[in-house]
Every structure is written in structure tokens, then in C-alpha cells.
Amino acid sequence: MRIGVLILPSTTWKRAERMWQLADEMGFAHAWTSDHIAWQDLAGQEWYAAVPSLAAAAVGTRRIQIGTLVSSPNFRHPVPFAKEIITLDDVSGGRFVVGLGAGGGGLDANCLGQEEWTPVERAQRFAEFVELTAKLLSAPVTDANGTFYKARRAHITPVDAPPRQIPLAIAATGKRGMALAARLAATWVTNGRSPRHGLVPPVARPDDVATQVRQLASRCEHVGRDPATVRRLLMNVNREPSVLASLGAFRSAVAAYTEAGITDMVVPFPDQPPFNASMTVLEQVAEILPEL
């Protein structure tokens, strides 16, 4: 199993830079940040933007993969976002992974003045958002006339050369989202389930995640794709118990989620409210990464 960390954009870059550098130096496979205008759990508190944070992280790190976990249609349009993705991939030397999710309710849902979308419209928008983003990243110039998103001679690739295949990490737990992941994702993402997405923190349980993995495999087989070609990433941000409560708790989680079919697990970087994560335990985890 590959292990990564989640570094929230909830502190000044002077402090955040060392977090990204430590994640790189400690040998973690990937490091991610959240992409919100404001996050429900830290409303009214310090919070910065994902894309410039990732650009700075790309310059300040050497080998670790970096990405958004996740970006959503709540306040993004595929055309300018695709240009940012291409640029982040260049700045990072090809280490960027774009994480995409449908988003949920809360502060991001109406920050542009729109009414909050119904679950049906959110699913439809997400499908079109992912499809167009993938198209924009695979062609030098793109035209599209969708229901929600349009593009007219959108020049995304900055040079006259075949575009690099920038991997997509698609967060999905529903049928339609999993179908998108089965067709287009290098990595499928889950953080468990929430009774009110975007409003109530999600909880991951091995039995529930194992069911989701089987559902993804079914979607892959339906579209003729070998399920083994999709990486399966769990963002393990359970508040209680924390996966970083102890090295024993971490080892137990690795064993349980490996059996459930997870190939990658992301844990919170310490000293970031509202997560309860120990730096001592993270250092112990770093020591056993070669075993994993």
C-alpha cells in the first residue's frame, strides 16, 4: 500500500512549506490539499487557495506526487481549471495528479451566488465537468457545447506537442460517479460515507469500503476495463478513532483496508485542526514505509 498525506491550506505558506518538504523527505508517496473557497469545519478561520499553494509545493519538493483532493464544479469551470492543471503539471515536472469530486453542500455550494444544486443536477454537472476536463487535457484545442459547460476554441496545451496524460483521481461513491471513474480515472477515491455530504464529516469503515471496491470492480467490468488497472485510494480522515492515534492503530488500518482492496491511503498531516494526528506517530509511519 502507498501512503500519502493531506495538508490543508489552513496556514501561512511560511509554515505550510515545511509540511510539504517533510512529506517529501520522509518518503511518502503523495501529498494532497483540499480545494475550497471556504471549508465548513474552519469557516471564518485562516484558509488559502489550493492552486497557488500547489505551485509553491511543486517548487519546494523533489519527488513526491502532489494533487487536489478534491476539486469540484462548485466554483470551478473546466476551461480555466484545465489550464491551471497543465501549468501545475509543468511546474511539478510531471508529478501532478488532479483529484475531482462532485462537491457537496456548505459554503462552496453557493459562493458564486448560485442556488445550491439538487443531488440530480450535481451528479449531472459532475459528469459533464469530468468529461470536459478530460477532453481539454487530451487535445490542444477544444470545442464543447454541453448543458452546463461550454468551450470555444479553448487552447489548453501550451506547446505544439502531444499532451502528457495527466492522471485523474475521481472521488465517487454513487453509480454514475463510479462509472466515470471506471472509464477515465487512474485512481478512484473514497473517504467513506457521510449522511450529508459536505456538511457532516465522512466516516470510513473497512466493510463499507470493501463494498465500494466491489461496486467499482463491477463498473469496470461493465465498460470492459480490468479493475486492477485502477488504483483505489482511501482518504482516511476519521476523527475518532484517528488512524494516527498510534503506530498500532495505523498498522491495523493498513491491514484492514488492504484486505478491503485499497491500494493507497491518505492520512492527515499532524497539527492541523480539526484532525487529531500525532507527529510522533507520523514519524514512526515514515520509518515503516519501505515495508508497505
Side-chain angles (χ1 to χ4, degrees):
M1 179 182 285
R2 300 193 311 176
I3 306 299
V5 294
L6 176 68
I7 301 174
L8 299 176
S10 57
T11 187
T12 60
W13 181 248
K14 185 175 181 180
R15 180 167 177 263
E17 181 179 25
R18 188 56 187 149
M19 295 182 182
W20 289 92
Q21 290 173 341
L22 277 173
D24 193 29
E25 293 165 6
M26 294 167 82
F28 289 96
H30 30 69
W32 311 78
T33 200
S34 299
D35 188 13
H36 299 287
I37 295 295
W39 190 38
Q40 201 77 5
D41 291 58
L42 298 179
Q45 300 183 48
E46 199 170 18
W47 191 266
Y48 296 91
V51 169
S53 296
L54 286 165
V59 173
T61 56
R62 177 179 54 85
R63 42 150 294 278
I64 197 168
Q65 280 191 310
I66 63 173
T68 53
L69 207 62
V70 290
S71 300
S72 84
N74 267 335
F75 59 89
R76 293 208 174 275
H77 188 286
V79 171
F81 188 45
K83 196 71 170 183
E84 292 173 338
I85 292 168
I86 290 283
T87 305
L88 283 170
D89 188 62
D90 175 63
V91 174
S92 67
R95 292 183 285 128
F96 185 68
V97 181
V98 55
L100 302 174
L107 299 175
D108 284 350
N110 49 25
C111 64
L112 298 185
Q114 75 271 34
E115 293 299 319
E116 190 167 321
W117 303 321
T118 65
V120 171
E121 182 177 349
R122 183 171 296 283
Q124 292 171 340
R125 281 182 175 272
F126 182 53
E128 193 171 302
F129 182 88
V130 173
E131 296 273 7
L132 180 52
T133 299
K135 184 178 180 180
L136 287 159
L137 294 177
S138 64
V141 183
T142 299
D143 288 284
N145 188 30
T147 303
F148 305 106
Y149 304 104
K150 295 174 172 56
R152 181 174 300 167
R153 292 195 56 75
H155 291 255
I156 300 301
T157 303
V159 295
D160 186 18
R164 195 186 82 81
Q165 291 298 110
I166 299 173
L168 303 184
I170 298 178
T173 55
K175 291 182 179 179
R176 189 164 187 172
M178 282 192 176
L180 282 170
R183 289 194 297 109
L184 299 172
T187 301
W188 163 77
V189 178
T190 183
N191 58 359
R193 295 189 191 273
S194 168
R196 298 177 65 198
H197 189 56
L199 299 175
V200 178
V203 175
R205 299 193 312 270
D207 57 340
D208 193 22
V209 170
T211 298
Q212 292 177 336
V213 169
R214 289 192 295 270
Q215 291 169 340
L216 175 69
S218 176
R219 301 291 179 272
C220 287
E221 290 163 0
H222 182 72
V223 299
R225 182 175 181 182
D226 180 357
T229 64
V230 184
R231 299 197 68 85
R232 299 168 295 281
L233 184 150
L234 169 66
M235 187 165 68
N236 194 332
V237 290
N238 290 0
R239 307 293 171 87
E240 293 295 340
S242 168
V243 69
L244 293 182
S246 67
L247 183 60
F250 175 79
R251 284 187 179 276
S252 295
V254 168
Y257 288 111
T258 298
E259 185 176 353
I262 292 299
T263 63
D264 296 72
M265 186 166 69
V266 173
V267 301
F269 200 90
D271 300 322
Q272 297 183 112
F275 303 123
N276 178 22
S278 163
M279 191 65 197
T280 299
V281 175
L282 190 73
E283 290 169 348
Q284 294 171 343
V285 166
E287 291 177 2
I288 67 168
L289 288 177
E291 298 177 23
L292 306 178

